[in-house]
Amino acid sequence: MQNLLELTLPQLADWFAQQGEKPFRARQLMKWLHQAGVADFMRMSDLSKGLREKLQAAAVIAPPLVKFEHASADGTRKWLFDAGVGNGIEAVFIPEDDRGTLCISSQVGCALECRFCSTGRQGFNRNLGVGEIVGQLWHAQRALRGAPNRLGGEIADRPVSNVVMMGMGEPLANFENVAQALEIMLDDHAYGLSRRRVTVSTSGLVPAMERLAQRVPVALAVSLHAPNDALRDELVPINRKYPIAQLLAACERYLAVAPRDFITFEYVMLDGVNDRPQHAAQLAGLLCGIPSKLNLIPFNPFAGAGLRRSPMERVLDFQRRLQDAGYVATVRKTRGDDINAACGQLAGQVQDKTGRVVQHPARASV
Ligand code: SAH
Ligand code: SF4
């Protein structure tokens, strides 16, 4: 059975051709599936009855199943999806006045073991398939349609206006599936999101950044977290393979094709670790010459992390120093932390396959 959620438009057209159908049916089906959110072939009224029956026999629309759903007091919603054999992945919707952002997962766990990340702490199980990645958006768009927003009005027909690949996993370590999922998100017959409104966040897999630039150059966020290699080696171990100079050179090349004229650098604020005035000064020197926006993320603690969040006055001081050096620097608002939906708190459920002894972090209590 073919899961139609995992096919890009050209793949769907090929599939229809193999079924002896006209390829333009693919466009019709994409609209029913991704725009109208219809999961029942019999409701696809502009397809002939014969075709609908054929679809019913040969295809399915199979998003990952929802295990739990949580709604935060601030309007944030979180879904835990089944990822098979005791595994789960999470997606979070963050409504704001002018947009609705869905944060989605790309892997069950993550193999990169960043010190401050609870997903990394859980180890790696597997890559998500295209249908599982797109399925998070498909489900959220349907679930949110018509739901009242924070201001008491109605959310528009397409409540998810932005997608960020900042949930569980390293998207560029699951390159092919993520690239296909992005193609579906951008397709006008599906979600029609602009490349500026879809962001891939990476810890810095340099060769895959080049591939992304060539294949689907969406907006890019880079998890920097340290202004020098010695510290970054500790916090983001992939730095030992692709050190800062290589990473920043890749960012500059990415900018040539990026839909936005800057790179977002994420910087998690860890008390006494990377939040000192000298770190701010070093960071300002490091990024000089690269059009950048800095996004400071107050660390969201989880049990056993052994790290603390920087006090807010230090975060604001760090921000001011960067601003004084001429940078756009914002502090990420913590949203949904009452339902463990904040950055780095998406723990899902991961059965580690890497053979490490994994201590499952208890859900964070901030
Ligand atoms: N693997 C990708 C995307 C997922 S993580 C990446 O690393 O970029 C999304 C963002 O959340 C990253 O910037 C990551 O560093 C940050 N993050 C991870 N754990 C966090 C925590 N405990 N508190 C705050 N931010 C965290
Ligand atoms: Fe993986 Fe990103 Fe977490 Fe690092 S921060 S362990 S790359 S998910």
Side-chain angles (χ1 to χ4, degrees):
M1 283 285 210
Q2 175 63 54
N3 181 5
L4 299 182
L5 275 179
E6 65 194 28
L7 299 183
T8 62
L9 184 62
Q11 289 171 337
L12 194 57
D14 280 353
W15 187 80
F16 270 108
Q18 281 163 26
Q19 312 293 313
E21 295 289 336
K22 294 273 188 301
F24 77 88
R25 296 287 179 206
R27 294 197 293 275
Q28 285 176 307
L29 195 119
M30 274 233 153
K31 286 186 179 171
W32 280 114
L33 184 55
H34 298 291
Q35 293 182 5
V38 169
D40 174 2
F41 296 123
M42 291 306 154
R43 287 184 49 208
M44 300 182 178
S45 53
D46 59 359
L47 304 183
S48 70
K49 188 153 177 286
L51 175 54
R52 283 183 266 162
E53 280 164 2
K54 210 186 233 182
L55 283 168
Q56 196 120 29
V60 285
I61 295 166
L65 298 176
V66 178
K67 283 177 147 183
F68 293 109
E69 182 177 342
H70 298 278
S72 161
D74 68 9
T76 302
R77 299 264 290 264
K78 178 170 90 165
W79 296 274
L80 174 70
F81 294 96
D82 187 17
V85 287
N87 288 313
I89 47 134
E90 293 180 320
V92 177
F93 177 71
I94 305 142
E96 288 173 282
D97 293 344
D98 58 343
R99 73 186 107 167
T101 303
L102 186 70
C103 175
I104 64 182
S105 295
S106 55
Q107 298 182 308
V108 182
C110 181
L112 298 185
E113 301 189 52
C114 299
R115 275 271 318 276
F116 48 80
C117 174
S118 81
T119 304
R121 190 64 71 87
Q122 288 179 295
F124 175 70
N125 184 278
R126 67 176 176 87
N127 284 329
L128 293 181
V130 180
E132 291 175 303
I133 300 171
V134 172
Q136 296 169 63
L137 173 57
W138 185 83
H139 178 81
Q141 201 78 291
R142 287 179 102 212
L144 294 164
R145 191 165 288 152
N149 68 15
R150 275 194 305 151
L151 302 173
E154 286 290 301
I155 287 186
D157 205 28
R158 293 188 200 179
V160 179
S161 63
N162 294 53
V163 170
V164 293
M165 305 246 17
M166 293 184 186
M168 297 167 67
E170 166 52 51
L172 296 187
N174 181 13
F175 185 85
E176 188 53 41
N177 292 348
V178 165
Q180 273 191 45
L182 293 172
E183 285 165 352
I184 295 170
M185 291 176 205
L186 302 186
D187 197 304
D188 282 340
H189 299 94
Y191 299 92
L193 296 173
S194 87
R195 293 194 290 133
R196 303 160 61 86
R197 289 177 174 272
V198 178
T199 302
V200 165
S201 176
T202 180
S203 56
L205 298 186
V206 167
M209 287 165 65
E210 315 276 355
R211 289 176 72 194
L212 189 70
Q214 279 156 26
R215 172 93 177 258
V216 255
V218 293
L220 188 67
V222 171
S223 290
L224 191 59
H225 307 311
N228 60 64
D229 281 322
L231 186 53
R232 194 162 191 268
D233 281 351
E234 293 306 313
L235 297 176
V236 185
I238 194 71
N239 194 66
R240 296 174 202 159
K241 195 160 179 196
Y242 306 113
I244 292 178
Q246 280 187 35
L247 176 59
L248 295 184
C251 289
E252 289 193 74
R253 290 191 294 276
Y254 197 89
L255 276 169
V257 294
R260 291 183 177 271
D261 53 9
F262 59 86
I263 303 278
T264 302
F265 290 98
E266 294 158 289
Y267 195 99
V268 62
M269 299 294 297
L270 299 164
D271 184 16
V273 176
N274 64 354
D275 63 350
R276 299 288 171 202
Q278 63 267 30
H279 294 125
Q282 207 175 11
L283 188 58
L286 187 69
L287 297 181
C288 157
I290 302 180
S292 18
K293 267 193 187 172
L294 279 143
N295 197 202
L296 307 177
I297 315 173
F299 171 61
N300 289 309
F302 51 93
L307 294 161
R308 289 181 313 272
R309 176 188 287 188
S310 304
M312 196 37 92
E313 62 270 24
R314 203 164 323 130
V315 176
L316 296 175
D317 178 68
F318 200 91
Q319 178 189 30
R320 197 185 45 73
R321 285 168 191 275
L322 292 166
Q323 287 171 340
D324 288 349
Y327 289 94
V328 175
T330 51
V331 177
R332 190 175 289 174
K333 270 186 280 169
T334 295
R335 297 285 304 270
D337 58 354
D338 56 337
I339 55 168
N340 288 315
C343 293
Q345 289 185 321
L346 301 189
Q349 292 170 353
V350 181
Q351 313 296 319
D352 180 55
K353 280 261 179 79
T354 50
R356 283 183 294 124
V357 178
V358 182
Q359 251 191 334
H360 279 262
R363 289 318 184 86
S365 48
V366 182

